[in-house]
Amino acid sequence: MNWNRKDLIGLEYLSAAEIEHILATTDSFKQVTTRSIKKVPTLRGKTVANLFFEPSTRTSASFELAAKRLSCDVLTLNIATSSVKKGETLVDTARNIEAMEVDTLIVRHGAAGAPAMLSRAVKACVINAGDGWHEHPTQGLLDMYTLRSRLGGIKGLRVSIIGDIAHSRVARSNIWGLTKLGAQVTVCAPPVLLPVGIEKFGVKITTDLDEAIAGADAINVLRMQFERDCAQAFPSRTEYFRKYGITQERLQKAKHDIVVMHPGPMNRGIEMSSEVADGPNSVILEQVTNGVAVRMAVIYLTATAREASL
Amino acid sequence: MKYLIKNGRCIDPANKFDAVADLLLSDGKIENIGKKIPSPKGAQTVDAQGMIVAPGFVDMHVHLRTPGREDVETLESGSRAALKGGYTSVLMMPNTDPAVDTPEMACGLKEQAHKESAVHAYVSGAVTKGRQGAQLTDIAGLKAAGALAVTDDGCCVADDGIFRKALRESARAGLLLIDHCEDAKISGKGVMNESFMSTKLGMRGMPRQAEYDMVRRDIEYARGLDAPVHIAHVSCKESCDLIRKAKKAGVRVTAEAAPHHFTLTDEACANYDTRTKMNPPLRADYDVKAVKEALADGTLDAIATDHAPHGLHDKYVEFDAASFGVIGLETALSISVMELVNKGVLDWPRLIELLSSAPAKILGIPAGTLSKGAPADVTVLDPKAELMYTAENVASRSKNSPFIDWKLTGLAMEVFVSGKRLVSGGQLV
């Protein structure tokens, strides 16, 4: 497998072989992150800029650590409050950062398509760290990596994605990645949170949580953003938890070894009860650990492809 | 100056004329049309063999950004774009900065257009003050000042009560009311058509219902008051169906469609290219098909470009943040030839009607015909001429066209405005 993309914009645009290649590359970096000395000199002298136009703790920290463990110099900018307010365009901001000889831009932005636009505007690598409701490819990859480590592979798995599908970039990246690798994906949400045309993604659709859980090898439970997009869509948090919250009782009907994932940040008592979140089926912290290795692989592969094209 | 345009296929839908003939222009008027007209002394001859000779085109929906945004279009640049596209008359929308919402402003703009525009640039006025949707403008005064229509285009006249009053007042004043049909409560912060594509791209969708619900409302009010209403830029099937039914029932409704809406679907948004962002948005395959059918069967009366220039700094930003709108004056003819005539949707006389006589009739202007004595606004087009449409050859001040880098077929080769030859050999004179 020859990786030749300088950017990672979304899993929609990757082939199954490319996704497999990232996961395989992650294996070697995962091994690095479990050593007592977690750093390799692979990208020494490269500079990575984290451009976060939307607040993030986990993803930003994960990318920063991933870059540092590859020996990159890292700059993390939370731009929501700086030059954008002064009227600078996104492309100008990115080009100014690039002009300081930065090699990789990791971009989180509230507007779908912002990283795609930047990838055409700059020569640096662009890695999408989440754009609007569009994609969050490294989250999709780390979810798949976690499933693959737990269950041996992706092909043939039954994975249900539960919650706010309409406003979730994590859902989209998961759907693209999992279906490309041959998993059978079900999405489960109240009707108002199922986006138009979802049936064309090649997924099964249900509004019944028990149906989504029954027979599933894994569930990926999405964050409900009551403070934002879901406010009008659902009467109350309690009501949501009653109908769609993952509880120990619900899991009684599931496969005993069902894998429970959540991309975080989690609302305990809304998407999932604490018993489940902290219980034996939960792989939530494992996802976070794997996230660093996945991002090391992505930073490494894209940087190498760019280097080869220079 | 006299011009004798020889041996072209003269199509004059207003007179149901379609034959190879000569056309003589003299002193700004059409002097004669017929076979083998002898060349008068001093007349310049234009060989139109293999070409189509049509009334100069009329675009009843353009934004020339004057006053306020002359950095992206001026009356001069916009009118040159119009000429290149074969247009000799345009109706300017009043959503300028400030909006054209008083008789004084309308009058001033009319005078300015007379001086600066190379084509007949007609003025329209706002329906409500500042296009805020709250208080009616002086509609009778706007009419007296020379406005041809009232519209809050860019916005719908959302309030039913205000809309009803506006419709009554404009009917009484004899001024056409043009509505931009969009229920903003439904379209919300949408930036593209609501569909599989918007879900895939993760962008907020504008449901087609936002359009057709308002089309339905406008039709019902027009029916109830027996007043005329014109629906701007129809983009979806349901709107076409409603208008067709209303026309059959005798409602005084007319409507237009823009070339991008019968050519492109929301698939064109796939790369987040902001040149595909406009309002109403690009819709689905079946909408494109429905709009084409509606243009062919008379449900839609006119092709109008909704020419909406925007500068690079308004467009070269995130899709969410980009301004709505695309330019269209220079490509409308070619796109119509390619999509409608060459694909067998409709014939040449119908296309010429959609581009000239029908909008002229809706606006009540002395254009859109080759009748003897009519103003010599004439477009000679070569149905087979081809052009690579690149950003470099755009005459408009703005380049925001989704058709950049398309190979266009069907071009205006000669354009006469009031008997003056302003385009010759496909080039601006």
Side-chain angles (χ1 to χ4, degrees):
Chain A
M1 172 75 214
N2 196 6
W3 178 272
N4 53 19
R5 294 175 187 268
K6 82 164 177 76
D7 309 305
L8 177 68
I9 302 302
L11 300 189
E12 179 195 350
Y13 317 105
L14 302 186
S15 67
E18 285 174 313
I19 295 171
E20 297 276 17
H21 186 62
I22 299 174
L23 299 181
T25 309
T26 303
D27 278 331
S28 46
F29 288 115
K30 177 70 190 290
Q31 194 258 325
V32 170
T33 61
T34 53
R35 291 184 202 155
S36 66
I37 294 174
K38 301 176 180 59
K39 195 159 178 165
V40 287
T42 320
L43 294 181
R44 196 165 62 194
K46 295 283 177 196
T47 310
V48 170
N50 258 336
L51 306 185
F52 277 60
F53 295 85
E54 229 184 32
S56 156
T57 308
R58 180 188 340 260
T59 307
S60 164
S62 180
F63 269 112
E64 187 168 334
L65 285 175
K68 283 180 170 161
R69 286 177 186 171
L70 290 166
S71 301
C72 297
D73 296 310
V74 188
L75 174 72
T76 294
L77 298 171
N78 292 304
I79 310 184
T81 49
S82 65
S83 35
V84 175
K85 293 262 155 101
K86 295 175 197 153
E88 187 173 63
T89 68
L90 173 63
V91 168
D92 283 338
T93 303
R95 282 188 177 152
N96 275 278
I97 299 295
E98 188 191 30
M100 299 177 214
E101 306 295 346
V102 166
D103 301 284
T104 297
L105 303 178
I106 291 160
V107 181
R108 158 150 315 178
H109 201 288
M117 180 189 183
L118 289 185
S119 72
R120 293 188 289 261
V122 300
K123 293 188 183 70
C125 298
V126 175
I127 298 171
N128 181 3
D131 61 329
W133 305 336
H134 174 225
E135 282 223 38
H136 190 353
T138 56
Q139 180 72 45
L141 288 165
L142 75 88
D143 290 345
M144 282 191 282
Y145 187 81
T146 307
L147 281 176
R148 176 174 167 276
S149 331
R150 275 282 169 142
L151 302 169
I154 303 290
K155 197 172 168 61
L157 286 187
R158 296 175 63 178
V159 182
S160 293
I161 305 170
I162 294 154
D164 183 3
I165 311 292
H167 306 108
S168 173
R169 53 194 173 214
V170 176
R172 287 166 178 77
S173 287
N174 264 272
I175 291 170
W176 289 118
L178 288 167
T179 53
K180 278 172 199 270
L181 294 199
Q184 190 188 320
V185 178
T186 298
V187 297
C188 172
V192 284
L193 297 179
L194 285 170
V196 169
I198 185 71
E199 67 285 351
K200 293 190 190 160
F201 283 81
V203 296
K204 268 182 64 182
I205 300 156
T206 178
T207 54
D208 178 3
L209 181 60
D210 290 331
E211 196 185 315
I213 291 175
D217 297 298
I219 53 174
N220 199 347
V221 185
L222 303 174
R223 172 178 169 76
M224 282 294 286
Q225 305 207 51
F226 278 98
E227 71 279 12
R228 291 221 307 237
D229 307 304
C230 309
Q232 289 177 308
F234 222 82
S236 76
R237 289 159 205 241
T238 340
E239 174 71 1
Y240 183 83
F241 185 64
R242 196 178 302 134
K243 285 206 171 118
Y244 292 96
I246 311 297
T247 60
Q248 216 50 60
E249 197 190 359
R250 293 266 193 187
L251 291 188
Q252 303 277 300
K253 300 167 201 158
K255 283 191 176 176
H256 71 92
D257 58 349
I258 188 170
V259 174
V260 176
M261 301 193 288
H262 192 297
M266 177 171 45
N267 297 302
R268 286 173 183 261
I270 295 177
E271 296 115 30
M272 183 180 301
S273 71
S274 284
E275 290 73 26
V276 174
D278 305 326
N281 298 90
S282 164
V283 294
I284 295 172
L285 292 176
E286 205 174 310
Q287 288 173 270
V288 178
T289 306
N290 291 336
V292 178
V294 161
R295 288 169 178 130
M296 286 172 81
V298 169
I299 294 169
Y300 165 73
L301 288 170
T302 50
T304 312
R306 176 170 173 264
E307 196 73 24
S309 72
L310 288 178
Chain B
M1 183 52 114
K2 289 177 194 271
Y3 293 96
L4 182 63
I5 304 168
K6 287 191 72 70
N7 296 318
R9 176 180 171 190
C10 294
I11 300 178
D12 181 14
N15 292 309
K16 300 211 176 342
F17 185 89
D18 177 8
V20 172
D22 299 342
L23 188 71
L24 179 63
L25 313 182
S26 175
D27 298 330
K29 301 266 190 249
I30 290 170
E31 188 173 304
N32 199 1
I33 179 169
K35 303 268 182 204
K36 300 208 162 55
I37 298 175
S39 183
K41 209 175 155 194
Q44 276 194 24
T45 302
V46 179
D47 179 12
Q49 181 100 41
M51 308 224 192
I52 289 170
V53 180
F57 302 152
V58 177
D59 189 347
M60 61 184 300
H61 196 133
V62 302
H63 300 271
L64 299 190
R65 302 297 186 219
T66 305
R69 286 304 302 270
E70 291 86 346
D71 58 319
V72 298
E73 197 77 291
T74 62
L75 298 173
E76 196 270 334
S77 65
S79 68
R80 286 166 69 82
L83 280 174
K84 274 191 86 175
Y87 286 96
T88 56
S89 300
V90 297
L91 179 67
M92 299 183 287
M93 293 293 110
N95 64 333
T96 46
D97 185 14
V100 182
D101 62 358
T102 64
E104 292 74 19
M105 271 199 74
C107 196
L109 184 58
K110 190 183 160 185
E111 278 172 24
Q112 190 185 352
H114 191 68
K115 284 188 216 129
E116 296 173 13
S117 169
V119 301
H120 309 293
Y122 293 98
V123 175
S124 62
V127 176
T128 62
K129 288 190 181 159
R131 299 170 52 254
Q132 297 294 306
Q135 203 179 351
L136 287 192
T137 53
D138 176 2
I139 292 177
L142 285 164
K143 160 95 177 173
L148 291 188
V150 282
T151 177
D152 277 356
D153 184 56
C155 296
C156 187
V157 183
D159 184 285
D160 295 342
I162 295 284
F163 179 74
R164 188 167 186 276
K165 286 191 182 78
L167 200 57
R168 293 184 71 172
E169 185 58 18
S170 57
R172 191 179 67 84
L175 203 55
L176 182 66
L177 193 152
I178 301 174
D179 201 19
H180 164 124
C181 289
E182 178 189 2
D183 186 340
K185 296 195 293 298
I186 299 176
S187 55
K189 290 182 188 156
V191 294
M192 66 175 291
N193 185 39
E194 184 185 81
S195 64
F196 169 64
M197 279 307 289
S198 63
T199 293
K200 195 167 98 152
L201 294 169
M203 295 203 280
R204 286 171 203 269
M206 308 165 88
R208 50 171 54 67
Q209 188 167 15
E211 175 177 306
Y212 68 73
D213 268 4
M214 275 300 173
V215 170
R216 182 187 289 120
R217 178 200 71 171
D218 286 11
I219 286 170
E220 288 316 313
Y221 283 69
R223 191 198 312 270
L225 297 170
D226 191 24
V229 68
H230 179 83
I231 312 292
H233 41 54
V234 170
S235 73
C236 62
K237 178 182 186 297
E238 293 86 347
S239 301
C240 294
D241 293 344
L242 286 162
I243 295 164
R244 184 177 293 114
K245 211 172 145 195
K247 282 189 161 183
K248 277 193 186 130
V251 178
R252 296 162 71 191
V253 57
T254 53
E256 69 192 33
H260 46 267
H261 285 133
F262 58 74
T263 309
L264 301 170
T265 66
D266 55 13
E267 300 263 335
C269 305
N271 290 325
Y272 299 96
D273 185 339
T274 59
R275 289 173 305 183
T276 64
K277 181 178 177 182
M278 71 288 285
N279 185 10
L282 299 174
R283 304 281 190 191
D285 258 344
Y286 70 86
D287 296 302
V288 167
K289 192 163 163 273
V291 169
K292 283 180 169 175
E293 282 167 13
L295 285 165
D297 73 11
T299 300
L300 297 177
D301 300 271
I303 291 170
T305 63
D306 196 2
H307 179 82
H310 288 294
L312 205 54
H313 56 282
D314 299 316
K315 278 291 197 183
Y316 193 40
V317 292
E318 303 87 301
F319 201 95
D320 279 353
S323 302
F324 287 102
V326 296
I327 56 168
L329 280 166
E330 293 166 69
T331 49
L333 168 63
S334 309
I335 295 298
S336 301
V337 170
M338 292 156 69
E339 288 299 314
L340 303 177
V341 177
N342 292 356
K343 289 189 178 171
V345 175
L346 44 80
D347 60 13
W348 275 106
R350 177 61 184 155
L351 177 62
I352 300 302
E353 184 180 19
L354 286 163
L355 288 170
S356 62
S357 57
K361 190 177 164 201
I362 294 168
L363 296 175
I365 56 174
T369 174
L370 299 177
S371 299
K372 282 181 202 173
D377 295 344
V378 178
T379 294
V380 181
L381 64 102
D382 182 342
K384 296 210 165 60
E386 289 181 343
L387 171 78
M388 269 305 293
Y389 182 63
T390 60
E392 290 72 45
N393 61 30
V394 173
S396 167
R397 276 204 173 179
S398 297
K399 322 285 178 201
N400 52 313
S401 165
F403 302 117
I404 295 282
D405 295 330
W406 278 41
K407 192 170 97 179
L408 302 178
T409 303
L411 301 169
M413 304 309 286
E414 305 286 329
V415 181
F416 298 86
V417 179
S418 302
K420 291 197 191 76
R421 188 180 194 173
L422 298 183
V423 171
S424 176
Q427 302 297 320
L428 290 161
V429 173

Coordinates of all heavy atoms in Angstrom, one line a residue, chain B residues 73-130:
Chain B
E73 N -19.9 45.3 -8.9 CA -20.5 45.5 -10.2 C -21.0 47.0 -10.3 O -21.4 47.6 -9.3 CB -21.8 44.6 -10.4 CG -22.3 44.5 -11.8 CD -21.4 43.5 -12.7 OE1 -20.3 43.9 -13.0 OE2 -21.9 42.4 -13.0
T74 N -20.9 47.5 -11.5 CA -21.4 48.9 -11.8 C -22.4 48.8 -12.9 O -22.6 47.7 -13.5 CB -20.3 49.8 -12.2 OG1 -19.8 49.4 -13.4 CG2 -19.2 49.9 -11.2
L75 N -23.1 49.9 -13.1 CA -24.1 49.9 -14.2 C -23.3 49.6 -15.5 O -23.8 48.9 -16.4 CB -24.8 51.2 -14.2 CG -25.7 51.5 -13.0 CD1 -26.2 52.9 -13.0 CD2 -26.8 50.5 -12.9
E76 N -22.1 50.2 -15.6 CA -21.3 50.1 -16.8 C -20.9 48.6 -17.0 O -21.1 48.0 -18.0 CB -20.1 51.0 -16.7 CG -19.4 51.3 -18.0 CD -18.3 50.3 -18.2 OE1 -17.8 49.8 -17.3 OE2 -18.0 50.1 -19.4
S77 N -20.2 48.0 -15.9 CA -19.7 46.7 -16.1 C -20.9 45.7 -16.2 O -20.8 44.7 -17.0 CB -18.8 46.3 -14.9 OG -19.6 46.2 -13.7
G78 N -21.9 45.9 -15.5 CA -23.1 45.0 -15.5 C -23.7 45.0 -16.9 O -24.2 44.0 -17.4
S79 N -23.8 46.2 -17.5 CA -24.5 46.3 -18.8 C -23.6 45.7 -19.9 O -24.1 45.2 -20.9 CB -24.8 47.8 -19.1 OG -23.7 48.6 -19.3
R80 N -22.3 45.8 -19.7 CA -21.4 45.1 -20.7 C -21.5 43.6 -20.6 O -21.5 42.9 -21.6 CB -19.9 45.5 -20.4 CG -19.6 47.0 -20.9 CD -18.3 47.5 -20.3 NE -17.2 46.8 -20.9 CZ -16.6 47.1 -22.1 NH1 -17.2 48.1 -22.8 NH2 -15.6 46.5 -22.6
A81 N -21.7 43.1 -19.3 CA -21.9 41.7 -19.2 C -23.3 41.3 -19.9 O -23.4 40.3 -20.6 CB -22.0 41.3 -17.7
A82 N -24.2 42.2 -19.7 CA -25.5 41.9 -20.4 C -25.4 41.8 -21.9 O -25.9 40.9 -22.5 CB -26.5 43.0 -20.0
L83 N -24.7 42.8 -22.4 CA -24.5 42.8 -23.9 C -23.8 41.6 -24.4 O -24.2 41.0 -25.4 CB -23.6 44.0 -24.3 CG -24.3 45.4 -24.3 CD1 -23.2 46.5 -24.6 CD2 -25.3 45.4 -25.4
K84 N -22.8 41.1 -23.7 CA -22.1 39.9 -24.1 C -23.0 38.7 -24.1 O -22.8 37.8 -24.9 CB -20.9 39.6 -23.2 CG -19.6 40.4 -23.6 CD -18.4 39.8 -22.8 CE -17.8 38.6 -23.5 NZ -16.6 38.2 -22.7
G85 N -24.0 38.8 -23.3 CA -24.9 37.7 -23.2 C -26.1 37.8 -24.2 O -27.0 37.0 -24.2
G86 N -26.1 39.0 -24.9 CA -27.2 39.2 -25.9 C -28.4 40.0 -25.3 O -29.4 40.1 -25.9
Y87 N -28.2 40.5 -24.1 CA -29.3 41.2 -23.4 C -29.3 42.7 -23.8 O -28.2 43.3 -23.9 CB -29.2 41.1 -21.9 CG -29.7 39.7 -21.4 CD1 -28.7 38.7 -21.2 CD2 -31.0 39.4 -21.2 CE1 -29.1 37.5 -20.7 CE2 -31.4 38.2 -20.8 CZ -30.4 37.2 -20.6 OH -30.8 35.9 -20.1
T88 N -30.5 43.2 -24.1 CA -30.5 44.7 -24.4 C -31.4 45.4 -23.3 O -31.4 46.6 -23.3 CB -31.2 44.9 -25.8 OG1 -32.4 44.2 -25.8 CG2 -30.2 44.3 -26.8
S89 N -32.1 44.7 -22.5 CA -32.9 45.3 -21.4 C -32.7 44.4 -20.1 O -32.7 43.2 -20.2 CB -34.4 45.4 -21.7 OG -34.6 46.1 -22.9
V90 N -32.6 45.1 -19.0 CA -32.5 44.4 -17.7 C -33.4 45.1 -16.7 O -33.5 46.3 -16.8 CB -31.1 44.2 -17.2 CG1 -30.2 43.4 -18.2 CG2 -30.4 45.6 -16.9
L91 N -33.9 44.3 -15.8 CA -34.6 44.9 -14.6 C -33.7 44.8 -13.4 O -33.4 43.6 -13.0 CB -35.9 44.3 -14.4 CG -36.7 44.8 -13.2 CD1 -37.1 46.3 -13.5 CD2 -37.9 44.0 -12.9
M92 N -33.3 45.9 -12.8 CA -32.4 45.9 -11.6 C -33.2 45.7 -10.4 O -34.2 46.4 -10.1 CB -31.6 47.2 -11.6 CG -30.8 47.4 -12.8 SD -29.8 49.0 -12.6 CE -31.1 50.2 -12.8
M93 N -32.8 44.8 -9.5 CA -33.4 44.5 -8.3 C -33.0 45.6 -7.3 O -31.9 46.2 -7.3 CB -33.0 43.1 -7.7 CG -33.5 42.0 -8.6 SD -35.3 41.8 -8.5 CE -35.8 42.3 -10.2
P94 N -34.0 45.9 -6.4 CA -33.7 47.1 -5.5 C -33.0 46.8 -4.2 O -32.9 47.6 -3.3 CB -35.2 47.5 -5.2 CG -35.9 46.3 -5.2 CD -35.3 45.4 -6.2
N95 N -32.4 45.6 -4.1 CA -31.7 45.3 -2.8 C -30.3 45.8 -2.8 O -29.3 45.1 -2.5 CB -31.7 43.8 -2.5 CG -31.0 43.0 -3.5 OD1 -30.8 43.4 -4.7 ND2 -30.5 41.8 -3.1
T96 N -30.2 47.1 -3.1 CA -28.9 47.7 -3.1 C -28.7 48.3 -1.7 O -29.4 48.1 -0.7 CB -28.9 48.9 -4.1 OG1 -30.1 49.6 -3.9 CG2 -28.9 48.3 -5.5
D97 N -27.6 49.0 -1.5 CA -27.3 49.6 -0.2 C -27.1 51.1 -0.4 O -26.0 51.5 -0.8 CB -26.0 48.9 0.4 CG -25.7 49.4 1.8 OD1 -26.6 50.0 2.4 OD2 -24.6 49.1 2.3
P98 N -28.0 51.9 0.0 CA -29.3 51.6 0.5 C -30.3 51.0 -0.5 O -30.0 51.1 -1.7 CB -29.8 52.9 1.0 CG -29.2 53.9 0.1 CD -27.9 53.4 -0.2
A99 N -31.4 50.4 0.0 CA -32.4 49.8 -0.9 C -33.1 50.9 -1.7 O -33.2 52.1 -1.1 CB -33.4 49.0 -0.1
V100 N -33.5 50.6 -2.9 CA -34.3 51.6 -3.6 C -35.7 51.6 -3.1 O -36.5 50.7 -3.5 CB -34.3 51.2 -5.1 CG1 -35.0 52.3 -5.9 CG2 -32.9 51.1 -5.6
D101 N -36.0 52.4 -2.1 CA -37.3 52.3 -1.5 C -38.1 53.6 -1.5 O -39.1 53.7 -0.8 CB -37.2 51.7 -0.1 CG -36.4 52.6 0.8 OD1 -35.8 53.6 0.4 OD2 -36.2 52.2 2.0
T102 N -37.6 54.6 -2.2 CA -38.4 55.9 -2.4 C -38.4 56.3 -3.8 O -37.6 55.9 -4.6 CB -37.7 57.0 -1.6 OG1 -36.4 57.3 -2.2 CG2 -37.5 56.7 -0.1
P103 N -39.5 57.0 -4.2 CA -39.6 57.5 -5.6 C -38.3 58.3 -6.0 O -37.8 58.2 -7.1 CB -40.8 58.4 -5.6 CG -41.6 57.8 -4.5 CD -40.7 57.4 -3.4
E104 N -37.8 59.1 -5.0 CA -36.6 59.9 -5.3 C -35.4 59.0 -5.7 O -34.7 59.3 -6.7 CB -36.2 60.8 -4.1 CG -37.2 61.9 -3.8 CD -38.5 61.3 -3.1 OE1 -38.5 60.2 -2.6 OE2 -39.5 62.0 -3.1
M105 N -35.2 58.0 -4.9 CA -34.1 57.1 -5.3 C -34.3 56.4 -6.6 O -33.4 56.2 -7.4 CB -34.0 56.0 -4.2 CG -33.1 56.4 -3.0 SD -32.6 55.0 -2.1 CE -31.4 54.3 -3.3
A106 N -35.5 55.9 -6.8 CA -35.8 55.3 -8.1 C -35.5 56.2 -9.3 O -34.9 55.8 -10.3 CB -37.3 54.8 -8.1
C107 N -36.0 57.4 -9.1 CA -35.8 58.4 -10.1 C -34.3 58.7 -10.4 O -33.8 58.7 -11.5 CB -36.5 59.7 -9.7 SG -36.8 60.8 -11.0
G108 N -33.6 58.8 -9.3 CA -32.1 59.1 -9.4 C -31.4 57.9 -10.1 O -30.5 58.1 -11.0
L109 N -31.8 56.7 -9.7 CA -31.1 55.6 -10.3 C -31.4 55.4 -11.8 O -30.6 55.0 -12.6 CB -31.5 54.3 -9.5 CG -30.8 53.0 -9.9 CD1 -29.3 53.1 -9.8 CD2 -31.3 51.8 -9.1
K110 N -32.7 55.8 -12.1 CA -33.1 55.7 -13.5 C -32.2 56.6 -14.3 O -31.7 56.3 -15.4 CB -34.6 56.1 -13.6 CG -35.2 55.8 -14.9 CD -36.6 56.3 -14.9 CE -37.1 56.5 -16.3 NZ -38.5 57.0 -16.4
E111 N -32.0 57.8 -13.8 CA -31.2 58.8 -14.5 C -29.8 58.3 -14.7 O -29.1 58.4 -15.7 CB -31.2 60.2 -13.8 CG -32.5 61.0 -14.2 CD -32.6 62.2 -13.3 OE1 -31.6 62.7 -12.8 OE2 -33.8 62.7 -13.2
Q112 N -29.3 57.8 -13.6 CA -27.9 57.3 -13.6 C -27.7 56.1 -14.6 O -26.8 56.1 -15.3 CB -27.5 56.8 -12.2 CG -26.0 56.5 -12.0 CD -25.6 55.9 -10.7 OE1 -26.5 55.9 -9.7 NE2 -24.4 55.5 -10.5
A113 N -28.7 55.3 -14.6 CA -28.7 54.1 -15.5 C -28.7 54.6 -17.0 O -28.0 54.1 -17.8 CB -29.9 53.2 -15.3
H114 N -29.5 55.7 -17.2 CA -29.6 56.2 -18.5 C -28.2 56.7 -19.0 O -27.8 56.5 -20.2 CB -30.6 57.4 -18.5 CG -30.9 57.9 -19.9 ND1 -31.7 57.1 -20.8 CD2 -30.6 59.0 -20.6 CE1 -31.8 57.8 -21.9 NE2 -31.2 58.9 -21.8
K115 N -27.4 57.2 -18.1 CA -26.1 57.8 -18.4 C -25.1 56.6 -18.5 O -24.2 56.7 -19.4 CB -25.6 58.8 -17.4 CG -26.3 60.1 -17.5 CD -25.6 61.1 -16.5 CE -26.7 62.1 -15.9 NZ -26.7 62.2 -14.5
E116 N -25.1 55.7 -17.6 CA -24.0 54.8 -17.4 C -24.2 53.4 -18.0 O -23.2 52.7 -18.2 CB -23.6 54.7 -15.9 CG -23.2 56.0 -15.4 CD -23.0 56.0 -13.8 OE1 -23.0 54.9 -13.3 OE2 -22.9 57.1 -13.3
S117 N -25.4 53.0 -18.2 CA -25.6 51.6 -18.7 C -25.7 51.6 -20.2 O -26.3 52.4 -20.9 CB -26.9 51.1 -18.1 OG -27.2 49.9 -18.8
A118 N -25.0 50.6 -20.8 CA -25.0 50.4 -22.2 C -26.3 49.8 -22.7 O -26.7 49.9 -23.9 CB -23.8 49.6 -22.7
V119 N -27.1 49.2 -21.8 CA -28.4 48.6 -22.2 C -29.5 49.3 -21.5 O -29.2 50.2 -20.6 CB -28.4 47.0 -21.9 CG1 -27.3 46.3 -22.6 CG2 -28.4 46.8 -20.3
H120 N -30.7 49.0 -21.8 CA -31.8 49.7 -21.1 C -31.9 49.0 -19.7 O -32.2 47.8 -19.6 CB -33.1 49.4 -21.8 CG -33.1 49.8 -23.3 ND1 -33.0 51.1 -23.7 CD2 -33.2 49.0 -24.4 CE1 -33.0 51.1 -25.0 NE2 -33.1 49.9 -25.5
A121 N -31.5 49.8 -18.7 CA -31.5 49.2 -17.3 C -32.7 49.8 -16.6 O -32.7 51.0 -16.3 CB -30.2 49.5 -16.6
Y122 N -33.7 49.0 -16.4 CA -34.9 49.5 -15.7 C -34.8 49.3 -14.2 O -34.1 48.4 -13.7 CB -36.1 48.7 -16.2 CG -36.4 49.0 -17.7 CD1 -36.0 48.2 -18.7 CD2 -37.1 50.2 -18.0 CE1 -36.2 48.5 -20.0 CE2 -37.4 50.5 -19.4 CZ -37.0 49.6 -20.4 OH -37.2 49.9 -21.7
V123 N -35.5 50.2 -13.5 CA -35.5 50.2 -12.1 C -36.7 49.5 -11.4 O -37.8 49.5 -12.0 CB -35.5 51.7 -11.6 CG1 -35.5 51.8 -10.1 CG2 -34.2 52.4 -12.2
S124 N -36.4 48.8 -10.3 CA -37.6 48.3 -9.5 C -37.4 48.9 -8.1 O -36.3 49.3 -7.7 CB -37.6 46.8 -9.5 OG -36.4 46.3 -8.9
G125 N -38.5 48.9 -7.4 CA -38.4 49.5 -6.0 C -38.8 48.4 -5.0 O -39.3 47.4 -5.3
A126 N -38.4 48.7 -3.8 CA -38.7 47.8 -2.7 C -40.2 47.8 -2.4 O -40.9 48.8 -2.6 CB -37.9 48.1 -1.4
V127 N -40.7 46.7 -1.9 CA -42.1 46.6 -1.4 C -42.2 47.3 -0.1 O -43.2 48.0 0.2 CB -42.5 45.1 -1.3 CG1 -44.0 45.0 -0.8 CG2 -42.4 44.4 -2.7
T128 N -41.2 47.0 0.8 CA -41.3 47.6 2.1 C -40.1 48.4 2.4 O -39.0 48.2 1.7 CB -41.4 46.5 3.2 OG1 -40.2 45.7 3.1 CG2 -42.6 45.6 3.0
K129 N -40.2 49.4 3.3 CA -39.1 50.3 3.6 C -37.9 49.6 4.0 O -37.9 48.8 5.0 CB -39.6 51.3 4.6 CG -40.5 52.3 4.0 CD -40.8 53.5 4.9 CE -41.9 54.4 4.2 NZ -42.6 55.3 5.1
G130 N -36.8 49.8 3.4 CA -35.5 49.2 3.7 C -35.6 47.7 3.5 O -34.7 47.0 4.0

